[in-house]
Amino acid sequence: MEKVIEVVEIKKAFGGNKVLEGVSFSAEAGKVLGIIGPNGSGKTTLINILSGVLTQDHGKVLFMGMDISHEKAYVRAKLGIGRTFQIPRAFPSLTVWENLQLAQLHSGKEVSIESVLKRVGLYELRGRYSDKLSLAQRKRLELARALMLKPKLLLLDEVFAGMNPASIWEVSEVIKGLKEEGLCIIMVEHVLSALMPLVDEIIVLADGRVIYWGDKYGAFKEEKVRRAYLGEKYSSFGV
Amino acid sequence: MEIIFQLLIDALLLAGYYALLSSGFSLMWGVSGIINLAYGSFVLVGAYLVYTFHLLEMSLFLAFPLTVALGLISGVVLQHLLINRLINYEPFTLLVLTFGFDMLLSNLLNFFFKADVRSLTLESLSGSLFVSHFIVPYNKLLVFLLSFLAILALQLYLKGTWTGKAIRAVSFDRVGAELCGINPGKIYTISTSLATALAMLSGGFYALLQGFTPFDSGGITLKAFFVCVVGGLGNVHGLLLGSLVLALSEVFSGFYLGEGWKVVISLVILVLFLLWKPQGVAGVKYA
Amino acid sequence: MLKLLSFIFVVGCLFPLFANPYWLRIASSALLLSSLSYAHNLLFYFLGYPAFGGIAFFGLGAYTFSFLYSKGFPLIPSLLLSMLIPSLSALILLPIMLRLKSHYFAISTLALQVMLMELVENIEFFGGTKGYALNLSHHANIIAYYLFLLALLGLFLFVILLERSVFGRTLKAIKEDETASLTLGINPMPYKLSMLLLMGMSLGFLGGAFSIWSAYIDASTVFNPTLSVKTFFVLILSLNSPIYGPFLWSLFFEMFFETLWSNFPQMHGILLGLGIMLLILAFPRGLKWKRS
Amino acid sequence: MGVIWGLLLALLSVAFSQDVIRFGAAVSLTGKFAKEGQLVKRGYELWKERVNASGGIKVGNKRYKVDIVYYDDQSDPLTSARLVEKLIIEDKINFILGPYGSAQVFSVAPIVEKYGALMVQAGGASSEIYKKGYKNIFGLYTVAPFYGRDLVELATKLDKDAKRIAIIYEKDIFSEDVASGALEHAKKKGLEVVLYEGYPKQVQDLSSLMQKIRLLKPDIVIGSGHFQDAVLTVKQLKQFGINPKFLGLTVGPALPAFVQALGEDAEGIFGPVQWSPALKYKDPVFGSTEEFVKLYRERFNSDPEYHVAGAVAAGVVFQKAIEDAGSLEVDKVRDALRKIKLETLFGVVGFDETGKIITKPMAIIQIQKGRHVTVYPFEEAKPIYPKPQWK
């Protein structure tokens, strides 16, 4: 399988505090890669670097074999990298439909708004202004917006956070469907119960370093992972 | 060659005054984040007050403290009547409010004092001190010393007293300060009234230094803004450094390029700093 | 929307035929103020940048026009150049736009405006402190009036189209959340660039028309910060009605303050300052008319 | 009986409802030019009172009283332009008596020309005003370059080896014009111009300039500006201990307020003037210069300045032109003004096609023991040279 995204020795620091200290990994089409780790381990920064919102201090990002390390965010979006935000950023003065219409115009891809809205379950709310939506609905809107780009790589930043179980199930189905269609999906997530069924591989980030990358079941056997995740005292708990 | 030293002396004297002139503006901006465009008019109100007191045969030793007292009171009034109403709206609305207030104040001054050029020329200060072939006008020297003392007093107050520490705490982190039981509202009022008092005090010195008209306020506010942007907010080194840069640029461009270029050169420096180093040379807080 | 536009067009064209010079002057200054507001709104309402110092390009247009016209250039080419030069120089704002937000952006553009004023006064080549006295024909006032009317109608139509178009919605997306719009494939640069050029161009044109209207211009009149505050005063009040607001508020503003000026010129400055304070205190978020 | 009453009433009404010619003037009553502006207004008022006392202006067989509407332009050119526009379109006045200050005249002229009104001004001397091809603008001041030229002429006459000259000027179209006249003449006379520099109008502190002058040690200092500039220049020259042998300042020295402001320090300073009370001319309204000066001294117990005399002359010239034209129509009065050749207390008044006065020379006064004395072109008293040191 050809690698959709490859990340080589990514380093990033804000002022003195180093957030990412040499992160490397890759992911293929049709695979879901989960990224977990305690707060402040650099997960969201990593997503921002992959999507071009931030630029790394050091290291390379390859997408479908092309080096996009220094491409701007809107160029990466056009290439087919869609993303959602930890705190949803819908455009308040535009309706749901207008949000997607904007994405359709600028992505230049032939994707029908109606089908995407139906897929994420927002079709009935298409005329509503996005600041009138609930948190979960706004997350679906962001997912829909990303799908308008006909993405090959989808970056989901804690899409399940704050969602009720029913929506979690629905969105999981959508993600499964996308996976079958051959999308490569990277999910940063804390809701492990929802994440585990979806992912093929897991990366555990701690203090800006990858301390585990591999099959999802092996992750929690690792002593380092438990200590990083559950803290010193409880690391041996429930072994 | 000694003209360079002469210019440096002039710049130093001017820098001392500019530090006091912009201290109020910097305090208000640093603590409550308000850019007070009416600051220049408060300086002029101070100048006209001292001028009027002097006309009424009042000795300056009484005129200045009275002006400072009036400054403290008007600061409290300004904060409660006007600023507090818009404090939680877009900061831009405060900009428009203070600009309208500046227009009101300068036109009121024009209404009462007419647009004639006034100045406070004291016989004792009109001469100059000749040190070998360097010249130090008495009025500039006196204003330099008094400004220095005033800034020292301000520093002692901010560093020494409890309220002073509270003001500095609020200026660094409002939320943090609030968590330790400091009521930011009260601190804003104190800092605004302190700022207007400093403005009026420096207005009195302005009258000693040169002639003034009701419509000089724009130029004064711009100088204070320059010092805060270039020097940076949040500490006295920024204030002193910013004033020195302003004084040096004015004195040297005035001498080598001509009087007209003083303001232009300082504005060019200001815009460059706004572009590349908005937090200023020694500033700790983001401007 | 278009009903109001055609109404303004008809009334506007016929107005000078039976208005005496006094009312013609009030109408002209109202048209000028509303056009200035619409021009500034291209950046303020559509992109969220309060170009407090936008009047710098108005002044630049006035100086370009007067400089060329007094050198013998005919009216139309001078007017065209007085659109071109300010719109190109508006690009100076681009680097500032990229780094500074909201009221810091406002202050730095104001500093730019005052700098331009001082610069123009210091360089003899631009007429120095003399400024320009243009000898114009008797019906210069009428020409200026129609130029202002043309500017208003043009900008008014443009704003209406912009508000409805996808281009307009993209601008608002960039204004509301530039990062999010980036991830949709929107490159904000060409949008900011085009709005800057448009604002510079329309302000330059208004500067040229102002020179014809006032016949005498000097640095402190056409770079006057009071003009910036009057414009933003109108914009703040029309925050919630970008289509009608600027036009109607300008009409009210000029009507009120112009008659005020002629009856008691002394009190004009005092009441203008007081008026600005009272209105901003009363409507900090602008008057709520209609969610247009 | 009824008939006589009717006649009497008719006669009375004619006398009282006598027609009025309204003139308009936007003058600087406050601001930087307040001193000079108030004197110009005083000149207009003196002319008005005298004309109305002697029955008013005769147009054809009717007599018109004179009324003047004043506005204060606060020494700002734009306000001046707007106020004159207000005079023309709101107050419907077509005869404009000029404002004080060349910048104000420069800003008002296009407005007067645009609305087809008519202006006679005795307040702006800059030659720029007459380069615009205006038809309805007439000025009684000899143009500014003569101020500078005569000062340099006098300086070189008094002292052959005074070679180093410094010229500083307020950046204003009058002061720059004077400075250029002085510069041109200084070069012609082979003087070494060590400094030629302007300063912005609103500046109140010239220390940078003073440092330069102190360094250059010129023999002759020419300061071109208005009243405030002259006072500021003297104060700062003294503060910086600069003692030029010849000090010439425009506008300031001619005003008594100059001596009041500076006292001792005003001694020996030269000032170019448009007119001096020592001149001898006849006048159609005041009889002669002496009679005017006597009347002025009795009323204001001080010598009249050239600003007052010029303003009075402006009124007299306007009046004569209206009487010559025998009508109130602007075009007819303008043609009468163009052809006028009138000896007034201010001097012989005659205009060229641009409206500039060409028939009146300048004079220079010096402050001696608190009074100004004409020392050029004729010597009312010996000029003191070099200037006494600052006390």
Side-chain angles (χ1 to χ4, degrees):
Chain A
M1 276 302 272
E2 197 248 345
K3 284 192 194 128
V4 169
I5 181 85
E6 192 178 352
V7 171
V8 178
E9 278 306 315
I10 289 288
K11 290 199 177 82
K12 179 70 182 176
F14 294 106
N17 120 47
K18 297 199 202 57
V19 176
L20 293 172
E21 285 167 70
V23 168
S24 310
F25 64 88
S26 64
E28 287 109 15
K31 285 280 190 305
V32 178
L33 170 64
I35 300 181
I36 59 170
N39 290 342
S41 53
K43 303 195 295 296
T44 304
T45 313
L46 185 60
I47 294 279
N48 284 340
I49 286 172
L50 288 179
S51 62
V53 168
L54 286 177
T55 34
Q56 67 284 3
D57 302 340
H58 171 81
K60 285 223 301 297
V61 177
L62 302 172
F63 175 66
M64 313 295 283
M66 281 185 303
D67 180 350
I68 58 163
S69 311
H70 295 293
E71 287 300 341
K72 288 224 169 30
Y74 62 86
V75 173
R76 299 189 193 195
K78 283 205 166 79
L79 291 172
I81 299 179
R83 70 160 292 175
T84 66
F85 289 88
Q86 197 174 357
I87 305 141
R89 307 175 78 140
F91 300 120
S93 72
L94 302 179
T95 65
V96 170
W97 183 275
E98 282 165 355
N99 263 275
L100 294 193
Q101 196 183 22
L102 210 58
Q104 182 186 49
L105 172 87
H106 289 285
S107 69
K109 303 277 176 36
E110 285 321 311
V111 180
S112 108
I113 301 178
E114 203 182 322
S115 67
V116 168
L117 277 181
K118 281 200 172 99
R119 191 169 192 181
V120 294
L122 283 179
Y123 187 68
E124 307 72 30
L125 302 173
R126 60 188 180 286
R128 189 176 292 188
Y129 280 96
S130 38
D131 56 6
K132 301 283 187 298
L133 300 174
S134 71
L135 177 69
Q137 285 163 344
R138 257 187 270 134
K139 287 205 177 216
R140 291 169 186 250
L141 173 59
E142 274 208 329
L143 182 59
R145 246 187 5 202
L147 294 180
M148 290 307 293
L149 304 167
K150 231 174 156 43
K152 298 188 188 65
L153 167 66
L154 188 58
L155 309 169
L156 303 178
D157 192 348
E158 292 189 30
V159 73
F160 293 134
M163 263 194 186
N164 54 44
S167 329
I168 288 182
W169 183 78
E170 263 175 47
V171 172
S172 303
E173 286 313 304
V174 172
I175 292 172
K176 282 196 189 97
L178 295 171
K179 188 174 142 166
E180 268 105 37
E181 285 168 25
L183 261 78
C184 165
I185 300 171
I186 297 181
M187 296 181 70
V188 165
E189 206 39 69
H190 277 297
V191 185
L192 295 186
S193 58
L195 182 68
M196 295 314 265
L198 293 170
V199 291
D200 305 309
E201 279 183 349
I202 282 271
I203 284 183
V204 182
L205 267 183
D207 306 326
R209 277 194 202 75
V210 173
I211 57 170
Y212 174 83
W213 175 22
D215 143 79
K216 62 184 177 182
Y217 297 110
F220 287 94
K221 295 199 184 68
E222 291 283 337
E223 183 49 29
K224 289 187 285 175
V225 171
R226 281 211 304 284
R227 192 178 314 112
Y229 224 81
L230 305 172
E232 198 48 50
K233 221 159 82 198
Y234 301 99
S235 62
S236 55
F237 173 70
V239 166
Chain B
M1 202 27 220
E2 77 282 345
I3 189 64
I4 302 290
F5 292 117
Q6 174 63 59
L7 292 180
L8 286 176
I9 295 170
D10 285 355
L12 189 65
L13 294 175
L14 203 54
Y17 174 63
Y18 280 158
L20 176 69
L21 181 69
S22 17
S23 57
F25 189 84
S26 162
L27 190 64
M28 212 166 151
W29 187 353
V31 173
S32 43
I34 297 165
I35 297 176
N36 178 6
L37 290 183
Y39 186 77
S41 301
F42 278 105
V43 170
L44 284 173
V45 166
Y48 276 100
L49 277 176
V50 171
Y51 171 78
T52 325
F53 291 149
H54 183 65
L55 279 187
L56 306 173
E57 309 301 330
M58 187 193 287
S59 104
L60 290 189
F61 295 105
L62 187 58
F64 272 96
L66 196 55
T67 309
V68 170
L70 286 173
L72 288 170
I73 299 161
S74 48
V76 173
V77 167
L78 171 66
Q79 181 73 27
H80 282 297
L81 275 188
L82 295 173
I83 293 180
N84 280 353
R85 289 189 193 298
L86 289 178
I87 197 90
N88 32 37
Y89 287 102
E90 244 277 316
F92 186 73
T93 49
L94 269 169
L95 218 57
V96 175
L97 176 77
T98 51
F99 195 98
F101 193 46
D102 177 60
M103 207 183 288
L104 175 68
L105 270 183
S106 33
N107 280 286
L108 275 176
L109 285 175
N110 179 34
F111 185 75
F112 290 115
F113 294 93
K114 295 290 169 272
D116 307 345
V117 179
R118 314 270 172 170
S119 76
L120 196 55
T121 42
L122 305 174
E123 251 332 286
S124 53
L125 289 179
S126 65
S128 305
L129 184 68
F130 288 88
V131 174
S132 76
H133 35 63
F134 297 127
I135 177 169
V136 179
Y138 286 136
N139 59 356
K140 290 194 175 165
L141 187 61
L142 178 69
V143 164
F144 174 76
L145 297 175
L146 291 179
S147 306
F148 202 75
L149 287 179
I151 293 173
L152 215 61
L154 177 68
Q155 274 313 96
L156 289 181
Y157 175 78
L158 287 178
K159 289 261 183 350
T161 65
W162 182 83
T163 24
K165 292 196 180 80
I167 289 179
R168 284 170 54 241
V170 167
S171 92
F172 283 122
D173 180 353
R174 197 178 66 77
V175 175
E178 211 165 342
L179 294 179
C180 347
I182 298 172
N183 158 11
K186 199 159 80 63
I187 295 299
Y188 290 156
T189 314
I190 296 173
S191 77
T192 306
S193 92
L194 209 57
T196 21
L198 285 166
M200 292 213 184
L201 176 65
S202 49
F205 293 154
Y206 189 76
L208 290 176
L209 284 176
Q210 62 171 64
F212 51 91
T213 73
F215 299 108
D216 295 354
S217 69
I220 297 172
T221 316
L222 217 53
K223 285 191 204 300
F225 182 68
F226 178 99
V227 169
C228 291
V229 169
V230 171
L233 290 172
N235 62 32
V236 75
H237 322 296
L239 192 70
L240 295 177
L241 207 65
S243 321
L244 198 59
V245 170
L246 178 62
L248 285 171
S249 86
E250 279 194 359
V251 166
F252 279 85
S253 65
F255 187 79
Y256 288 103
L257 297 172
E259 286 283 341
W261 290 94
K262 272 185 186 174
V263 179
V264 179
I265 300 296
S266 57
L267 280 169
V268 167
I269 297 173
L270 172 64
V271 171
L272 291 181
F273 261 88
L274 275 172
L275 272 181
W276 276 290
K277 211 164 185 336
Q279 75 278 17
V281 174
V284 277
K285 232 167 89 66
Y286 175 59
Chain C
M1 230 74 89
L2 291 176
K3 303 195 292 332
L4 180 63
L5 191 65
S6 40
F7 170 74
I8 297 173
F9 177 74
V10 168
V11 168
C13 294
L14 303 177
F15 185 78
L17 305 185
F18 31 72
N20 66 33
Y22 175 71
W23 284 105
L24 186 65
R25 194 153 57 85
I26 290 188
S28 307
S29 55
L31 287 176
L32 169 64
L33 185 59
S34 40
S35 312
L36 281 175
S37 314
Y38 280 117
H40 278 83
N41 235 359
L42 295 180
L43 227 53
F44 184 43
Y45 173 77
F46 284 103
L47 274 172
Y49 285 97
F52 219 42
I55 292 297
F57 307 111
F58 172 78
L60 217 54
Y63 258 79
T64 317
F65 176 83
S66 309
F67 175 77
L68 294 172
Y69 190 74
S70 53
K71 287 278 189 294
F73 264 67
L75 192 111
I76 303 296
S78 317
L79 210 50
L80 292 178
L81 273 171
S82 78
M83 286 161 76
L84 184 65
I85 292 173
S87 83
L88 293 181
S89 45
L91 298 183
I92 316 170
L93 286 191
L94 202 56
I96 302 181
M97 262 167 101
L98 302 179
R99 286 188 54 80
L100 295 176
K101 291 187 298 306
S102 159
H103 62 303
Y104 297 126
F105 174 78
I107 287 280
S108 47
T109 52
L110 188 63
L112 190 76
Q113 177 182 323
V114 177
M115 184 181 83
L116 262 181
M117 173 163 81
E118 295 286 338
L119 208 63
V120 156
E121 256 183 9
N122 271 307
I123 300 177
E124 277 320 304
F125 180 69
F126 293 125
T129 48
K130 287 201 287 295
Y132 289 95
L134 310 173
N135 19 26
L136 296 147
S137 65
H138 180 66
H139 24 68
N141 280 8
I142 309 285
I143 301 170
Y145 171 85
Y146 279 114
L147 287 175
F148 288 144
L149 185 65
L150 177 68
L152 173 71
L153 292 174
L155 284 165
F156 196 111
L157 193 62
F158 182 69
V159 165
I160 292 174
L161 296 178
L162 205 56
E163 183 71 358
R164 288 213 180 87
S165 69
V166 176
F167 187 95
R169 258 183 253 115
T170 316
L171 287 173
K172 270 194 231 146
I174 296 172
K175 168 183 164 183
E176 265 146 29
D177 193 334
E178 189 160 332
T179 321
S181 53
L182 279 171
T183 61
L184 296 184
I186 297 172
N187 174 5
M189 193 52 76
Y191 290 90
K192 291 185 180 177
L193 215 59
S194 48
M195 280 319 210
L196 260 182
L197 291 174
L198 271 169
M199 184 180 92
M201 193 181 72
S202 36
L203 286 175
F205 175 83
L206 288 169
F210 177 80
S211 314
I212 299 172
W213 182 45
S214 129
Y216 168 77
I217 63 150
D218 65 9
S220 53
T221 47
V222 288
F223 290 104
N224 186 340
T226 317
L227 213 52
S228 335
V229 172
K230 263 167 94 170
T231 316
F232 270 88
F233 180 50
V234 165
L235 287 186
I236 298 259
L237 292 174
S238 357
L239 269 177
N240 291 294
S241 56
I243 308 289
Y244 306 104
F247 176 66
L248 296 174
W249 276 111
S250 305
L251 216 57
F252 161 75
F253 192 94
E254 281 304 325
M255 209 80 80
F256 177 70
F257 279 103
E258 203 52 42
T259 38
L260 186 80
W261 187 84
S262 54
N263 307 21
F264 8 71
Q266 283 297 1
M267 300 294 286
H268 174 252
I270 295 172
L271 291 171
L272 183 60
L274 202 60
I276 288 176
M277 287 170 62
L278 292 179
L279 271 167
I280 196 73
L281 285 170
F283 309 112
R285 246 191 249 94
L287 206 59
K288 266 223 172 328
W289 274 2
K290 195 165 80 50
R291 190 169 175 78
S292 56
Chain D
M1 237 333 247
V3 171
I4 302 163
W5 267 113
L7 256 174
L8 255 176
L9 273 175
L11 261 174
L12 267 174
S13 63
V14 163
F16 279 104
S17 73
Q18 197 173 7
D19 297 331
V20 174
I21 304 176
R22 293 169 69 226
F23 290 82
V27 192
S28 316
L29 303 179
T30 61
K32 186 168 182 182
F33 305 144
K35 291 273 184 303
E36 303 96 321
Q38 276 140 18
L39 289 173
V40 168
K41 178 178 179 184
R42 181 184 289 178
Y44 292 151
E45 281 300 294
L46 282 174
W47 166 66
K48 182 180 93 174
E49 283 155 25
R50 192 55 177 270
V51 167
N52 288 343
S54 54
I57 300 180
K58 196 157 61 51
V59 179
N61 46 30
K62 284 176 76 185
R63 281 201 164 278
Y64 288 81
K65 280 174 66 63
V66 167
D67 175 28
I68 304 177
V69 175
Y70 292 100
Y71 289 122
D72 170 17
D73 71 13
Q74 299 183 9
S75 312
D76 165 43
L78 182 75
T79 316
S80 215
R82 288 199 65 174
L83 288 173
V84 165
E85 188 175 38
K86 182 171 154 57
L87 283 169
I88 299 170
I89 56 176
E90 281 168 46
D91 306 322
K92 304 275 182 294
I93 296 175
N94 277 330
F95 295 140
I96 300 296
L97 289 164
Y100 178 79
S102 295
Q104 278 74 351
V105 170
F106 190 74
S107 76
V108 158
I111 309 286
V112 169
E113 197 75 12
K114 188 164 84 172
Y115 288 103
L118 186 61
M119 173 159 78
V120 175
Q121 57 95 2
S126 163
S127 48
E128 294 294 325
I129 298 164
Y130 308 103
K131 291 182 186 146
K132 289 287 174 187
Y134 292 135
K135 308 235 174 344
N136 295 12
I137 311 294
F138 295 86
L140 259 63
Y141 275 1
T142 312
V143 280
F146 287 94
Y147 286 64
R149 200 202 59 181
D150 292 0
L151 274 176
V152 171
E153 184 60 29
L154 178 61
T156 47
K157 197 156 75 67
L158 286 174
D159 180 350
K160 289 291 168 292
D161 42 38
K163 284 287 176 247
R164 295 169 64 81
I165 177 171
I167 302 171
I168 60 171
Y169 58 92
E170 172 205 15
K171 280 193 174 157
D172 150 276
I173 57 174
F174 161 71
S175 323
E176 275 167 24
D177 218 9
V178 169
S180 61
L183 178 69
E184 206 186 297
H185 202 59
K187 284 194 183 123
K188 209 187 298 165
K189 286 282 175 182
L191 297 179
E192 187 200 349
V193 181
V194 295
L195 180 67
Y196 182 77
E197 193 178 311
Y199 54 86
K201 247 196 247 196
Q202 64 285 22
V203 155
Q204 297 300 332
D205 174 15
L206 302 173
S207 14
S208 307
L209 268 178
M210 292 302 156
Q211 295 292 9
K212 269 187 206 171
I213 298 174
R214 199 163 77 86
L215 200 65
L216 297 162
K217 297 186 179 49
D219 310 319
I220 305 166
V221 169
I222 307 282
S224 158
H226 290 88
F227 175 77
Q228 283 302 340
D229 307 279
V231 171
L232 179 67
T233 307
V234 171
K235 278 187 182 161
Q236 295 215 296
L237 283 173
K238 176 179 178 184
Q239 187 176 32
F240 281 75
I242 302 167
N243 275 297
K245 282 188 271 182
F246 180 100
L247 176 56
L249 300 170
T250 55
V251 180
L255 273 65
F258 186 74
V259 175
Q260 284 151 18
L262 299 165
E264 269 296 299
D265 300 335
E267 280 312 300
I269 295 180
F270 295 96
V273 288
Q274 291 280 349
W275 168 86
S276 123
L279 293 167
K280 306 275 181 295
Y281 289 105
K282 285 200 294 307
D283 184 273
V285 173
F286 288 87
S288 72
T289 312
E290 295 84 358
E291 275 166 66
F292 170 70
V293 170
K294 196 157 63 55
L295 173 132
Y296 190 89
R297 275 211 192 100
E298 275 150 22
R299 193 146 163 208
F300 302 98
N301 60 51
S302 82
D303 284 348
E305 299 82 1
Y306 69 80
H307 304 86
V308 179
V312 168
V316 168
V317 165
F318 227 138
Q319 172 189 351
K320 197 72 179 59
I322 292 174
E323 281 167 355
D324 292 354
S327 118
L328 294 178
E329 269 180 62
V330 168
D331 299 345
K332 288 210 173 71
V333 178
R334 182 206 36 238
D335 298 343
L337 271 172
R338 174 85 33 81
K339 293 198 286 296
I340 208 163
K341 212 17 134 253
L342 179 71
E343 182 175 347
T344 72
L345 59 91
F346 194 60
V348 174
V349 173
F351 303 110
D352 66 8
E353 72 294 345
T354 66
K356 179 170 62 184
I357 192 163
I358 44 173
T359 54
K360 190 182 79 52
M362 295 276 301
I364 294 184
I365 54 107
Q366 181 182 39
I367 308 248
Q368 293 179 0
K369 297 186 196 60
R371 280 192 64 257
H372 15 103
V373 175
T374 315
V375 290
Y376 178 90
F378 58 90
E379 287 190 357
E380 203 182 340
K382 278 291 288 139
I384 311 166
Y385 182 84
K387 194 183 85 52
Q389 301 275 326
W390 307 115
K391 294 287 174 303

